[in-house]
Amino acid sequence: VSNAGVGMVGPLECQSLAAMQSLMDTNFFGLVRLVKEVLPDMKRRRGGHIVVISSIMGLQGIVFNDVYAASKFAVEGFCESLVVQALRFNVAISLVEPGPVTTEFEAKLYEEAERTDYSRTDPETADMFTNLYLRNSKDVFASLGQTPEDIAEHTLRVIEAARPPFRHQTNVAYTPMAALKHADPSGTLMTDTFYKLVFKYDAVLRLSLR
């Protein structure tokens, strides 16, 4: 089971390249290093199961999570490319894709975001992040957040499955969000929907979450 991960939220202009590279080294290359270690022996034994804790953000980018989402997209692409070869050796690969999970990980991330200096971006973007994104995120976690124990139970079910699924989403509330990309391959439906949620109907969004 691969479950190493670090987070990053905020305006792109306020993130250092070194911090971005460090995140990718943990979230993506950490997984690559693990798979390189365990896969050869699994192939020799013609059996095994690699379970990767991904994220719904590996399927759908979320505003102000640019680099974190990129790392999870990389995880998804890596595993999707590898799974067909692995199946030839009777090795299963499964991606567990949680939405928000209520832990100290997120709490520390958002506490740090509230203390960050946003002078490197424009005032409108800084206001958008602090007064729209952070406020809505707290409501999202309060309303839709799962516990670590819940994610562990989902992961256990994937591990014990007679035919392990390649993808397993832990929160059904996010299924429609991920489906928007498949409903319209041009991306217009997805971007228009999220734009309206963030900028036109944010009050309705917060009310519905509460």
Side-chain angles (χ1 to χ4, degrees), residues 2-15:
S2 173
N3 189 34
V6 292
M8 178 182 288
V9 294
L12 185 66
E13 305 94 312
C14 301
Q15 314 291 348

Side-chain angles (χ1 to χ4, degrees), residues 94-195:
S94 296
L95 289 156
V96 177
E97 299 162 336
V101 185
T102 306
T103 65
E104 290 184 9
F105 178 93
E106 280 76 21
K108 290 177 180 177
L109 195 64
Y110 288 108
E111 285 172 12
E112 182 179 325
E114 289 175 340
R115 296 193 302 266
T116 299
D117 175 18
Y118 297 109
S119 60
R120 284 174 289 174
T121 190
D122 58 277
E124 186 176 357
T125 300
D127 180 71
M128 191 189 311
F129 177 66
T130 56
N131 293 319
L132 280 179
Y133 176 83
L134 288 180
R135 182 173 58 180
N136 286 339
S137 290
K138 289 176 181 177
D139 291 339
V140 166
F141 273 88
S143 177
L144 300 177
Q146 294 176 274
T147 65
E149 291 78 12
D150 193 18
I151 304 303
E153 289 291 341
H154 277 273
T155 305
L156 181 61
R157 288 201 292 273
V158 169
I159 291 170
E160 293 181 335
R163 292 174 61 94
F166 175 57
R167 285 193 170 95
H168 176 81
Q169 294 175 25
T170 69
N171 193 326
V172 294
Y174 283 83
T175 302
M177 182 181 80
L180 287 174
K181 294 175 75 171
H182 299 287
D184 175 19
S186 76
T188 303
L189 178 62
M190 180 270 295
T191 53
D192 187 54
T193 299
F194 276 88
Y195 183 88

Side-chain angles (χ1 to χ4, degrees), residues 28 58 72-82 95 166-167:
F28 175 62
K72 292 300 184 178
F73 267 71
V75 164
E76 294 271 335
F78 174 73
C79 292
E80 193 170 281
S81 298
L82 194 60
L95 289 156
F166 175 57
R167 285 193 170 95

Side-chain angles (χ1 to χ4, degrees), residues 2 4 20-33 35 52-61 65-83 93-95 97 166-167 181:
S2 173
M20 296 178 196
Q21 290 171 327
S22 177
L23 180 145
M24 291 297 293
D25 189 53
T26 298
N27 292 9
F28 175 62
F29 287 105
L31 168 65
V32 173
R33 286 191 290 268
V35 172
V52 181
I53 306 301
S54 180
S55 169
I56 196 68
M57 276 193 259
L59 301 174
Q60 172 65 62
N65 283 268
D66 324 272
V67 180
Y68 179 78
S71 73
K72 292 300 184 178
F73 267 71
V75 164
E76 294 271 335
F78 174 73
C79 292
E80 193 170 281
S81 298
L82 194 60
V83 66
I93 296 176
S94 296
L95 289 156
E97 299 162 336
F166 175 57
R167 285 193 170 95
K181 294 175 75 171

Side-chain angles (χ1 to χ4, degrees), residues 135-136 138-140 142-143 203-210:
R135 182 173 58 180
N136 286 339
K138 289 176 181 177
D139 291 339
V140 166
S143 177
V204 176
L205 174 64
R206 287 200 308 277
L207 183 63
S208 65
L209 288 170
R210 289 171 183 167

